[in-house]
Amino acid sequence: MKKHPVLWAFATIIALSIIIVVYIVLGPSALGFAGGKTVALAAYHGEDPTGAAPELKAASLVERGEYLARAADCAVCHTAPDGTAFAGGRAFVLPFGTLYSTNITPDAETGIGNYSDANFLDAVHKGIGRDNTKLYPAMPYPSYTYMSDTDALAIKAYLFTLRPVHAPAPKNSLAFPFNQRSLMRVWSALFNSDRRFEPNLDRSPEWNRGAYLVEAMGHCGECHTPRNLFFALNNREKFGGAVQAGWRAYNITADRASGVGAWSDADLANYLSAGHAEGRGSASGPMGEAVDESLKYLKASDISAMVTYLRSVPALTTSDLPEPKLTPAVTAQVTAPEANPHGKAVYEGACAGCHGWSGVSPVIPFATLIGTRSVNDPTATNVAQVIIGGGHRHSPVDANNMPAFGAAYSDDEIAAVANFVTARYGVKGSDLTAARVAALRAEN
Amino acid sequence: MTHKPVRSSLPTRRDFLKTAGTASVVALTIGFEWAATGRRAVAAVTPPGATFTPNAFLRIGSDNRVTVIAKHLEMGQGTYTGIATIVAEELDADWTTVSVESAPADAKRYANLVFGTLQGTGGSSAMANSWAQLRDAGAKARAMLLSAAAKDWHVPVAELTTDKGMVYHAAGKRQATYGSLVKTALSLPVPDNVVLKDPKNFKLIGARPPRVDAAAKTDGSAQFTLDFVLPGMLVALLKRPPLFGATVKSFDATAAAAVPGVVKVVQVPGGIAVVAKGFWAAKLGRDALKIEWDDSKAEKRSSSALMAEYRRLADQPALSARKVGDAHKAIGDATRRVSASYEFPYLAHAPMEPLDAVVKLDASSCEIWAGDQFQTIDQANAAHTAGLDPKQVSIHTLYAGGSFGRRANTISDYIVEAVSIAKAFGADGTPIKLQWTREDDIHGGLYRPMYFHKLEAGLNAQGELTGWHHVIVGQSIIADTIFAAGIKDGIDSTSVEGAANIAYAIPNIAVDLSTTKTGVPVLWWRVVGSSHTTFAVEAFIDEAAHVAGVDGFTFRRKLLEHEPRMKAVLELAAEKAGWNAGPLPPGRGRGIAVAEAFKTFVAQVAEVTVDRDGNVKVDRVVCAVDCGTPINPDIITAQMEGGIGFGLGAVMHSAITLKDGRVEQGNFNNYRVLRMNEMPKIEVHIVPSTAPPTGVGEPGVAPIGPAVANAIFAATGKRVHALPFGKVGVA
Amino acid sequence: MPTTFRLNGQTATLDADPSMPLLWALREVAGLHGTKFGCGMAMCGACTVHLDGQAVRSCVMPLSAVEGRDITTIEGLHSKQAKAVQAAWVELQVPQCGYCQSGQVMSATALLEKNAAPTDADIDSAMSGNICRCATYQRIRAAIHSAAQSLKV
C-alpha cells in the first residue's frame, strides 16, 4: 500500500498531540519534587502536620476552624469588594468569561446552609457542588484536595457560626465550551488527584507542616506555578512564576537571581507575615490580599515551617528577571537631561513625595522601591498595576496605602512613569507601552 | 491614647506681646469708631479685658494703628488688602500701620451691596461693591481728623494736609499723628458730604502695597479654621452616605465608640458623626462605623448615562435664553455651515483647606468660627438647625484656605452639619470642630454642573457669521435655592451667562437652554457660567474662523467693533503675545480667547507644544485684563496667574464622574489638578482705566481653556470637544 | 506609648498613639499649627516637614517612625536658606489663600539646602509634589530663584 503523505502527516500530528497530552497529564504532583517515601496521614507517627497551629491545640473546634479558614484564605475569594465576608459575589475575569465566587455563609437557600459534611468535603476535595455540579477550578480544589477531612470540617464548623446572608451569586458568563460544566469532570479526572496530604518520611516534621500549609491550605502554586494547556498547574515548573489576574506572581523558588534564594529566612518570614521585607519589597495586589486576609494571622511557627518548605523547592531560573539592583539611585535630585521627561513629570508630581528620588522612601519603609522585584521586572507589569489600582494594605496602619492613579492618568502617562521608575530604580528598565497598560487595566 | 491640650498653657512670645500691647494701649485708648449709617462718632472706652466688638469699617487707635474691618472673606483673592487699600487711600493712612479684621455676621452693616441685603462674598464683587462705600468711609474719617486738628490748633481746615497717617500745618510748622487726634475727632459730627480724592492723587491705589497677609502666610502663623482651637474643643468627622440622596437605615457604633479618644457617636440628618478628642481618634472611629444605608431614593445613574441623556436633550425643544433675528433661517440660508458639540464634566472645587467649622452651641447661643463666605445665609441656616433666632448666632470669619465658590452655598452644608452635630452632642457649650477630609470634599457634591453644549453657525460668502445657534443642556445652580427667584421665564442666568450675552456682532442669534434635574447637588464654581460657556463660545468661534479662512484674532476683532473694552483686551493680548510674529515651529501652536465675566474683560493667548504621543504642554500664556481702576496691580496680576493655573488644571485633568451614582474620585491622585511642572510662563498686562473697579478673582479662569484648545488645534489640527482633554488625548 | 524625638531643635516627648500620623501629633499634641492637612495621603504636600533635613510628608508618616530623629516644622525654620526663602516669598508676594504655603516653604528650603542654584527642572522635581490650588506656582518658582540669588551674595 502506498503511503499517503496527508494521512501520514495527520497521523503524526495526532500522535504528537497524544504524546503532549500524556506528557502534560503525567506531570508531577505539587509535592512530587520532594521524592522520598510518603505514608498516609494515619500511618505517620511524627508530629501531626495538619490541623491549626500548635498554640491552638486546646482551642474549640470553631476557633481552630477559623484559623484554618484563614490559612486556606477562603475570605479573599468568597467576598465581593465592599461585600459581607464569605457572602461571595467576587468576579473573576478570565479570558473566556467571568466567574463569580459563591456564598459560603450558612444561608440555606443561597449559601451552604444545607450542606452535609459529605457535601462540604466533596466541594473542597473534588470540586463537586451539592447539586452534583462540577465547580470550576477557580476554586482551588486540586490544592484543597490535600486538606484533611478533620480540617475541612473544622472550617465548615466555623463557617456555620457566621450570620447567614441571603446573597445569590451573580450568573457566570462563560463562552462555549467553557460554560459546559460537565467538561470539568474530564478535567478533574485528569488533574485532581483527590488524595489527602501524605507526610514525607524523609523530611522533617517542620517541612511536612510547611508543605501542608503551603499546598493544602495556602495554595501558593495556584498563582506562582505556571499553568499548562489545560489550565492546570504545571508542576514541572513549580513556583517558577506566572501571570495571574493581570499581576505577575513571581518566581518563589530558590534561584538567587530571579527567585527568593538570596532572601534570608527573616526576609521571607517578614514578607509572608507582614507583607514587607526590608530591601526586598512590599506585597501588593493579590499577594497583598493574601497577607492581609490570611498570612498575617498565622502563628510564627507556621510561617517558619512555610519558609522551611519553600526553601526546599528546586531553583528555577526565570530568564527575563535579573538580580534586583540593591543600590539607591545616586543623585538627590534629577539634574541630568532626562530621556523620559514625560515619565519624570508624572513621577515628580505624584510619586516623589513618598518614594523619594533615591528610591529609598523618606517616609515609610513600605514605600522603598530599591531592591523590589517589580521595579527590576523588565515587563513593569506589577509597577503598572500598582499605579493603576494602588496598594490597599490593611496593616500596620492604613496611612500606608498607596493611592490608585488609574482614573486620573492616561495609559500613556502610566506607561511613561512606570518606565521612568524601572529605569531609575531597577536594573534594566522597561519598555511598557500605553497599549499594554490598557490591556492590564482590562485584566484587573 | 492620651490627649494633651492642643495649645501649651505657657503663653508664647507672640501672645505676650499682644497682651502687653493691649494693656498699655487700652489704658489710654479711646477707640474711634464710625458707622456708615451712623450720624455721630461713637466713643468706645474699652476697659482692659473687655471684648471689643467693632461695628464699622475702620478703627483708629490712639496708638496710631488703623484697623480696617473687612466685610468680605479673604480666601486668597486679596480682598483684605484691596479693602484696606481703598480705605487707607482716602484716609491717607500710613500703610505700615494698617491691619485688617474681619467683620462679624451683621447684614445691616456689612451687606454686599451687589447682593442687596445679604452679607457674603462672591461673584468677584468685593471691590466693585466696596469701592464707593469704603472711599466714602475713609474720606469721612480723614475729614474728621482734619477737623480735629483744625480745632486743636485753631487753624482753618483748608490750611491742613495729610500724608501717611499725619496731619500737617505747613504754615504753623505743626504736625500730629492720627492717633493723637482721635480723642478730639470723637466729639465731632460725621460730615454729610465729603470730597473724594482725584484719582490723579492716588498713592496706594494703582501702586503695589504689599498684601496684609503675606508675612503670616509665609511663616505658618496665619490662622485658618483648621488651626482654631478653644479649650475643651472636640473634633468631629461625619460619615455621609455613599450615594447622593441615600440616608442611614441602621448603624452599629460599638467598634467606633471603643476607639480610644472617641467621646460620642451621634446621628444627625447628614449621617453619623464621631466626636473625639482629636482628628485621628475621630478618623479611626469613623472608619470603624458600620452603617447600612437606605439608597431607595438615591441618585444611581452614571455620569456617562447622564451625558448620553443630555446629548439627546440637545436635539429636543428648549427654552429660549436669547433670540435676535432668525438664527435657524440664517443658518439654513448660509453659504457655509459649521457645527460642534462640547462636553463638560462635574467639577469639585477642592480648596486646599478641606471644609471645617468650629461651633459652640448652648441653649441660647451659637457661636461659629469658619472661613465663612455667606454670613447671612449661614447665620439663618445655623439658627434654623439649632432652633435659635439668627440674632443668637454669631459668626467669626477666619481666613479660608481657598474656596472657589464652595463655601458660598445656600444650604450652608458644612455649617449646618457642624451645628447639627453640636446639637446632637447635647448643645452643652462644648466647642466642636467639624473637619472634612479630602475624600469628604471630593465626594461631597455641590459640584460645578455637568453640561452639554451644541452649536451651529452659518457664514455667508464673505466668510461673515450670519447665524448662531447655541444649545446648553445641564442642571440649574440656583433652582430650589433661595436664589430661585432669579430664574426668569425658566432661564437660570448662571447657566447661560457668557453665551446668551455673547458680545460678537452676529445678526441672528438663538441661545436655548434645556435645564435638567439629577440627584447630584451642584453649585457655582470659580467664574460660574463662564467656566463652560466661554469654552463653548470661544472654541466654536475659532472653528468658525477656520471655516472662514481667517485667523482667530482677526475674525474676533471684526466682530467686536462695537465692544471697545473687549476689543482692547483682545488687541493688547495679541500684540504682547506676538500674534502676528509668524507661525510657531511644527508641533507648537498659538490660540486666543476673550471673555467678559462680572464686568471684567480678559483676553488670553496660549502657546502650546504637543508631542508625538499627544502630550500637551502649555508653554506660555499672555493675558490682558481690563477691570476698571486697577486697585492693586500686583494682586490683579496674581489673580490672573492663579485663575489661569486653576482653569488650566481643570481643562487638562479634572473631572468628577459617577458610576451607578457613586463618585469615582476621592483625592488628588484621581481628581487631578495642576502641579508646578505644568504651570506655564504667564505675562499679565493690565489696561489702564479710571472706570469703577470690577473683580478679578474669577474672570481670569474663563478664557484659558479655549485659548489652549485653540492652540492645540493650531499645533495638531485636532479640536477638543470634551473636557478634560488630558484624558481623551489629542494625538 | 510616648515617642521621643528632636522637634525644632529641642527634645520633645509626645504621648500619643504611635500609629498616629506625625501631622496630627504635631498639630494636636505638640500644638504646632503651621503644618497643614490637605489630603492625608501624601498627594498635596501641605503637611511637609523636614526629617533629618529632608522634606517629607507628615500626614502618612507614623509618629513611631520619628523616634530619635530630627523634625523641623515651619515654626522651627532657622537656616539661612529658610530665611532667604521666606524673605523672597514676601518680597514676591507669593501667598494667596496661603494654606499650602507652609508646605511650599518647607519644600523650597529643603531644596535650597541641598542645591544652591536650582534650575527650573530642579524646582519642578522638588516642588511638583506640593499642590497650590490658587496656582501661585509662577511666583514660587521666581521666589526660589530669587532666594538662591540672594544667598550667593
Side-chain angles (χ1 to χ4, degrees):
Chain A
M1 209 166 104
K2 204 180 163 192
K3 287 178 186 174
H4 194 292
V6 175
L7 275 181
W8 267 106
F10 207 68
T12 312
I13 289 168
I14 288 176
L16 276 174
S17 304
I18 291 170
I19 291 168
I20 290 167
V21 168
V22 169
Y23 176 80
I24 290 171
V25 170
L26 294 184
S29 72
L31 288 149
F33 73 92
K37 186 171 163 39
T38 58
V39 294
L41 187 60
Y44 183 62
H45 301 300
E47 207 172 311
D48 185 359
T50 69
E55 290 91 332
L56 297 173
K57 277 259 152 62
S60 70
L61 174 68
V62 171
E63 281 175 287
R64 282 180 285 131
E66 181 178 8
Y67 184 85
L68 291 163
R70 299 272 198 210
D73 203 3
C74 310
V76 158
C77 292
H78 285 282
T79 308
D82 299 330
T84 312
F86 300 106
R90 177 165 180 172
F92 294 85
V93 183
L94 304 169
F96 33 85
T98 302
L99 282 176
Y100 293 90
S101 64
T102 53
N103 179 356
I104 54 168
T105 69
D107 183 57
E109 197 189 326
T110 63
I112 59 168
N114 285 334
Y115 272 54
S116 66
D117 286 357
N119 291 152
F120 192 78
L121 290 177
D122 275 352
V124 169
H125 289 151
K126 300 176 190 162
I128 297 173
R130 189 170 163 271
D131 48 1
N132 209 25
T133 54
K134 278 300 295 181
L135 306 181
Y136 289 100
M139 162 79 174
Y141 55 83
S143 294
Y144 288 162
T145 201
Y146 291 116
M147 199 185 293
S148 74
D149 289 5
T150 317
D151 287 352
L153 294 175
I155 292 174
K156 175 169 178 271
Y158 164 68
L159 293 175
F160 270 65
T161 65
L162 300 174
R163 190 168 67 88
V165 178
H166 185 87
K171 273 229 168 332
N172 294 333
S173 61
L174 293 183
F176 184 84
F178 303 100
N179 56 0
Q180 302 300 300
R181 281 185 184 265
S182 53
L183 285 177
M184 285 299 115
R185 286 184 195 284
V186 182
W187 187 91
S188 214
L190 294 174
F191 299 111
N192 181 15
S193 66
D194 190 19
R195 287 176 71 174
R196 307 298 89 80
F197 179 72
E198 293 173 350
N200 191 320
L201 297 175
D202 297 325
R203 301 279 185 165
S204 69
E206 196 183 27
W207 183 95
N208 276 298
R209 173 64 179 164
Y212 185 73
L213 286 167
V214 166
E215 302 298 345
M217 291 292 172
H219 58 280
C220 308
E222 297 282 341
C223 288
H224 288 279
T225 298
R227 290 177 185 271
N228 59 32
L229 271 182
F230 301 100
F231 217 65
L233 299 184
N234 171 14
N235 283 309
R236 288 192 170 87
E237 294 176 34
K238 185 180 175 63
F239 291 170
V243 172
Q244 188 73 2
W247 290 74
R248 248 183 120 166
Y250 289 114
N251 181 334
I252 52 168
T253 71
D255 187 61
R256 287 192 66 84
S258 59
V260 294
W263 294 34
S264 68
D265 286 358
D267 286 344
L268 280 168
N270 286 338
Y271 194 86
L272 291 174
S273 55
H276 173 72
E278 200 85 42
R280 303 292 183 191
S282 303
S284 38
M287 188 63 195
E289 290 181 328
V291 172
D292 276 339
E293 299 297 331
S294 170
L295 295 163
K296 80 169 181 203
Y297 294 100
L298 299 192
K299 302 285 182 194
S301 61
D302 277 350
I303 291 289
S304 164
M306 291 174 82
V307 171
T308 302
Y309 174 72
L310 285 174
R311 289 231 176 269
S312 75
V313 177
L316 283 174
T317 302
T318 307
S319 58
D320 74 330
L321 293 180
E323 191 171 349
K325 183 169 107 175
L326 298 177
T327 46
V330 268
T331 44
Q333 302 288 341
V334 186
T335 45
E338 178 53 53
N340 177 0
H342 192 44
K344 176 172 172 269
V346 175
Y347 186 86
E348 59 200 7
C351 318
C354 280
H355 296 291
W357 286 100
S358 70
V360 175
S361 170
V363 181
I364 34 171
F366 266 73
T368 286
L369 299 174
I370 294 298
T372 64
R373 171 57 70 200
S374 44
V375 304
N376 288 282
D377 171 358
T379 69
T381 304
N382 290 6
V383 172
Q385 287 290 24
V386 81
I387 293 169
I388 294 167
H392 301 287
R393 298 296 316 288
H394 297 174
S395 59
V397 285
D398 68 351
N400 285 350
N401 284 340
M402 167 154 162
F405 295 92
Y409 288 86
S410 66
D411 297 340
D412 185 63
E413 287 169 318
I414 290 171
V417 74
N419 291 333
F420 176 79
V421 164
T422 54
R424 186 166 174 81
Y425 304 121
V427 177
K428 282 186 166 173
S430 57
D431 195 14
L432 189 69
T433 62
R436 179 72 190 131
V437 173
L440 288 174
R441 279 185 200 270
E443 283 177 65
N444 202 348
Chain B
M1 190 189 79
T2 56
H3 187 84
K4 289 188 173 173
V6 284
R7 247 194 200 290
S8 154
S9 55
L10 294 170
T12 61
R13 185 173 167 275
R14 188 185 303 276
D15 290 340
F16 176 76
L17 286 176
K18 208 157 70 187
T19 315
T22 314
S24 61
V25 175
V26 163
L28 36 126
T29 293
I30 298 168
F32 171 73
E33 296 182 34
W34 170 84
T37 51
R39 295 292 306 118
R40 280 176 50 79
V42 183
V45 182
T46 53
T51 309
F52 179 65
T53 308
N55 62 358
F57 293 104
L58 80 150
R59 195 165 74 230
I60 303 169
S62 55
D63 57 353
N64 293 317
R65 292 184 60 86
V66 175
T67 306
V68 178
I69 314 300
K71 64 179 185 179
H72 290 293
L73 169 67
E74 174 59 70
M75 49 188 161
Q77 82 282 39
T79 345
Y80 274 17
T81 307
I83 282 171
T85 303
I86 300 172
V87 173
E89 179 68 69
E90 291 292 348
L91 183 64
D92 249 350
D94 174 1
W95 186 249
T96 62
T97 66
V98 175
S99 61
V100 179
E101 214 174 84
S102 79
D106 181 352
K108 280 210 176 70
R109 288 180 295 168
Y110 297 119
N112 182 330
L113 304 178
V114 168
F115 294 176
T117 54
L118 296 175
Q119 183 181 351
T121 306
S124 292
S125 61
M127 292 306 109
N129 96 95
S130 299
W131 176 244
Q133 187 178 45
L134 294 185
R135 284 185 77 188
D136 191 66
K140 283 179 176 167
R142 175 176 168 273
M144 291 167 76
L145 292 164
L146 284 174
S147 299
K151 194 175 169 194
D152 284 356
W153 298 339
H154 308 288
V155 296
V157 169
E159 289 178 14
L160 300 175
T161 58
T162 54
D163 187 35
K164 287 193 177 154
M166 303 281 287
V167 180
Y168 295 93
H169 183 236
K173 293 201 167 106
R174 295 188 70 161
Q175 62 182 62
T177 64
Y178 284 180
S180 67
L181 297 166
V182 158
K183 202 173 170 185
T184 310
L186 274 169
S187 61
L188 300 173
V190 179
D192 282 329
N193 292 303
V194 70
V195 179
L196 298 179
K197 267 193 189 172
D198 185 326
K200 282 201 296 267
N201 299 325
F202 283 162
K203 294 168 195 159
L204 291 168
I205 290 169
R208 304 165 44 123
R211 286 181 68 119
V212 294
D213 52 356
K217 287 177 173 179
T218 296
D219 64 15
S221 64
Q223 196 180 44
F224 298 86
T225 309
L226 181 82
D227 311 323
F228 185 76
V229 289
L230 288 170
M233 189 183 81
L234 301 174
V235 175
L237 266 70
L238 178 63
K239 182 84 178 168
R240 298 171 189 80
L243 297 177
F244 295 115
T247 51
V248 175
K249 189 192 281 173
S250 65
F251 73 103
D252 174 1
T254 320
V259 171
V262 169
V263 176
K264 212 184 254 190
V265 178
V266 295
Q267 180 165 6
V268 293
I272 307 294
V274 176
V275 186
K277 287 180 178 166
F279 174 89
W280 192 241
K283 160 94 167 55
L284 294 179
R286 188 174 74 166
D287 290 348
L289 280 175
K290 291 190 179 64
I291 305 177
E292 271 198 73
W293 302 98
D294 173 2
D295 56 10
S296 56
K297 295 195 183 76
E299 174 61 79
K300 297 189 202 69
R301 285 177 287 179
S302 296
S303 44
S304 55
L306 289 173
M307 188 58 88
E309 171 68 7
Y310 286 14
R311 193 173 267 281
R312 195 184 63 75
L313 284 171
D315 293 325
Q316 306 292 316
L319 293 175
S320 173
R322 170 115 184 260
K323 195 164 160 50
V324 178
D326 188 339
H328 298 278
K329 183 174 183 304
I331 294 168
D333 294 347
T335 315
R336 277 171 289 180
R337 278 183 284 275
V338 55
S339 64
S341 65
Y342 302 93
E343 294 181 7
F344 302 90
Y346 286 114
L347 291 173
H349 306 71
M352 285 311 295
E353 182 184 18
L355 297 180
D356 41 11
V358 175
V359 167
K360 191 166 183 285
L361 175 72
D362 59 32
S364 60
S365 73
C366 178
E367 219 174 338
I368 297 169
W369 292 262
D372 200 296
Q373 199 173 344
F374 258 7
Q375 286 85 354
T376 307
I377 291 169
D378 291 343
Q379 198 175 28
N381 283 327
H384 180 76
T385 306
L388 296 172
D389 187 273
K391 285 196 205 76
Q392 294 169 291
V393 176
S394 55
I395 298 179
H396 307 271
T397 301
L398 305 174
Y399 284 135
S403 174
F404 316 116
R406 184 61 181 82
R407 290 169 213 268
N409 71 78
T410 58
I411 56 170
S412 312
D413 60 344
Y414 70 110
I415 299 284
V416 164
E417 284 176 358
V419 174
S420 66
I421 292 166
K423 191 178 169 190
F425 188 82
D428 60 358
T430 305
I432 294 177
K433 177 189 286 179
L434 168 71
Q435 182 64 53
W436 286 38
T437 63
R438 177 60 55 199
E439 288 77 9
D440 295 341
D441 172 59
I442 302 290
H443 291 161
L446 294 179
Y447 305 126
R448 194 289 300 272
M450 196 172 85
Y451 289 99
F452 181 75
H453 287 237
K454 194 176 168 208
L455 292 102
E456 198 179 10
L459 297 97
N460 62 19
Q462 289 75 48
E464 293 162 340
L465 278 172
T466 52
W468 176 274
H469 183 209
H470 188 165
V471 183
I472 300 170
V473 185
Q475 281 169 264
S476 162
I477 292 169
I478 63 174
D480 305 320
T481 74
I482 58 159
F483 295 118
I487 299 179
K488 295 274 184 290
D489 300 325
I491 301 293
D492 174 351
S493 62
T494 70
S495 300
V496 297
E497 63 185 359
N501 53 334
I502 180 172
Y504 296 119
I506 304 167
N508 301 285
I509 296 175
V511 179
D512 300 334
L513 174 68
S514 187
T515 300
T516 59
K517 277 199 185 275
T518 82
V520 183
V522 295
L523 183 63
W524 28 62
W525 182 95
R526 200 171 182 180
V527 86
V528 195
S530 301
S531 70
H532 53 105
T533 56
T534 298
F535 189 97
V537 168
E538 287 298 296
F540 189 64
I541 202 99
D542 217 68
E543 300 203 28
H546 185 68
V547 168
V550 181
D551 76 90
F553 165 66
T554 310
F555 193 73
R556 284 176 176 81
R557 188 177 54 179
K558 201 171 167 210
L559 292 168
L560 292 172
E561 285 301 339
H562 305 287
E563 295 283 342
R565 292 178 76 178
M566 197 111 159
K567 182 163 157 261
V569 290
L570 184 79
E571 287 174 341
L572 182 59
E575 179 212 322
K576 298 290 184 186
W579 183 265
N580 292 321
L584 292 166
R588 301 194 61 213
R590 230 183 246 122
I592 193 166
V594 61
E596 177 269 310
F598 305 111
K599 301 192 173 74
T600 290
F601 303 84
V602 187
Q604 288 162 5
V605 175
E607 283 178 25
V608 307
T609 303
V610 184
D611 74 13
R612 250 181 253 155
D613 298 321
N615 300 306
V616 179
K617 173 93 176 77
V618 181
D619 304 310
R620 175 179 180 231
V621 176
V622 177
C623 174
V625 54
D626 172 359
C627 54
T629 302
I631 295 173
N632 186 321
D634 194 50
I635 290 179
I636 294 166
T637 302
Q639 287 308 300
M640 292 301 119
E641 292 166 358
I644 288 165
F646 187 86
L648 187 57
V651 297
M652 287 176 77
H653 301 307
S654 308
I656 292 290
T657 57
L658 288 86
K659 178 137 200 310
D660 304 328
R662 206 177 275 258
V663 174
E664 294 187 285
Q665 291 72 27
N667 208 312
F668 290 123
N669 57 311
N670 46 24
Y671 188 76
R672 260 178 95 180
V673 299
L674 198 81
R675 291 180 182 273
M676 168 68 90
N677 53 19
E678 300 166 316
M679 186 72 176
K681 291 194 167 35
I682 298 171
E683 296 162 33
V684 178
H685 303 277
I686 301 167
V687 175
S689 171
T690 53
T694 51
V696 293
E698 299 176 80
V701 177
I704 186 62
V708 168
N710 297 338
I712 290 170
F713 176 76
T716 65
K718 313 241 174 186
R719 292 288 182 188
V720 172
H721 286 135
L723 295 181
F725 62 76
K727 275 175 104 167
V728 294
V730 296
Chain C
M1 200 183 84
T3 303
T4 301
F5 59 103
R6 298 275 293 171
L7 175 56
N8 295 333
Q10 294 186 332
T11 301
T13 299
L14 301 185
D15 192 4
D17 176 357
S19 74
M20 178 190 281
L22 176 64
L23 168 67
W24 296 105
L26 290 172
R27 291 186 54 83
E28 296 186 344
V29 185
L32 297 172
H33 294 160
T35 311
K36 301 294 191 251
F37 165 60
C39 70
M41 52 159 63
M43 293 304 307
C44 80
C47 67
T48 306
V49 299
H50 293 176
L51 170 71
D52 299 336
Q54 199 174 350
V56 300
R57 312 294 182 228
S58 64
C59 72
V60 294
M61 174 172 274
L63 176 60
S64 58
V66 303
E67 176 73 43
R69 303 181 75 176
D70 198 338
I71 294 290
T72 305
T73 68
I74 185 84
E75 291 89 351
L77 278 183
H78 66 271
S79 69
K80 64 181 198 300
Q81 291 88 349
K83 295 295 156 202
V85 164
Q86 288 177 316
W89 244 244
V90 174
E91 170 65 28
L92 296 181
Q93 297 280 291
V94 171
Q96 289 186 27
C97 92
Y99 192 81
C100 73
Q101 297 298 346
S102 293
Q104 304 281 2
V105 166
M106 295 308 286
S107 288
T109 300
L111 169 65
L112 286 184
E113 285 173 356
K114 288 196 193 69
N115 183 346
T119 62
D120 279 356
D122 294 335
I123 292 172
D124 280 351
S125 297
M127 304 299 298
S128 288
N130 288 76
I131 292 175
C132 174
R133 286 291 280 148
C134 303
T136 60
Y137 301 123
Q138 168 149 304
R139 289 178 186 228
I140 290 174
R141 186 188 297 283
I144 292 173
H145 284 308
S146 161
Q149 201 61 38
S150 75
L151 288 165
K152 268 193 204 159
V153 188

